[in-house]
Amino acid sequence: MNNIILIGFMGSGKTTIGKILANDLSLEYFDIDEFIEENTKMSIPEIFKKAGESWFRDQESFALSCLTDGSNRLIATGGGIVEREDNLEVLKNGGTVVYLKASPDKLWTRAGKDPNRPLSTDLASFRKLFDRRRSRYEAAADIVIDTGSLSVERTVEAVKKALEELKSTED
Ligand code: S3P
């Protein structure tokens, strides 16, 4: 299997970190949002507008199942992957789950009011969403990386180190 799955709230760096990690670890990079956009031939905002969040979540679960059904992949999820209870089991069985953790304030500076993110319209609801999901990310993760003040490079190094440590405890 050997998949690595990145989880975390909007703005946690899943895409940026994921692409670098995939390259460094010789894994094939996949992005769940991209998979959904290609599969539905619609953009994420378009899906939310025309079909609604629930239909988006169906597509998201389908994408997660498809992408975890393969090996040597780096899979970057969308922030809401922990919304559906069933996804938690798929995550656990699908690979090593790495949670990129950051404070809601930091996340808001990176992803707030982004027109491509239908659920980042105002800080109050952004925070509320974060509070609802935070324990789910923790519960789903094999590794938690506090990205706090780390640069992209440092975050990548921290993930690699944690993966090696995890591997050595499993050997
Ligand atoms: C969402 C996060 C987005 C995207 C969609 C919904 C969420 O992905 O899947 O807008 O519910 O948090 P990113 O985490 O990559 O922004």
Side-chain angles (χ1 to χ4, degrees), residues 44-58:
I44 303 292
E46 226 178 325
I47 297 175
F48 270 75
K49 199 161 167 239
K50 291 187 183 158
E53 181 172 348
S54 175
W55 192 78
F56 171 77
R57 296 295 168 208
D58 293 341

Side-chain angles (χ1 to χ4, degrees), residues 20 24 32 61 63 65-66 96 113 150 154 161:
I20 302 173
D24 288 3
I32 288 199
S61 297
S65 297
C66 292
T96 304
K113 290 205 170 112
L150 297 182
R154 291 234 163 173
K161 190 161 169 260

Side-chain angles (χ1 to χ4, degrees), residues 8-12 14-15 31-33 36 44-45 48 53 56-57 60 77-81 83 111 114 116-120 129 133 137:
F9 206 68
M10 291 173 266
S12 57
K14 302 176 296 281
T15 306
D31 181 299
I32 288 199
D33 282 343
I36 297 170
I44 303 292
F48 270 75
E53 181 172 348
F56 171 77
R57 296 295 168 208
E60 189 174 45
T77 61
I81 200 70
E83 284 288 337
D114 179 347
N116 292 316
R117 290 179 162 114
L119 299 180
S120 80
L129 202 56
R133 291 178 183 170
Y137 293 130

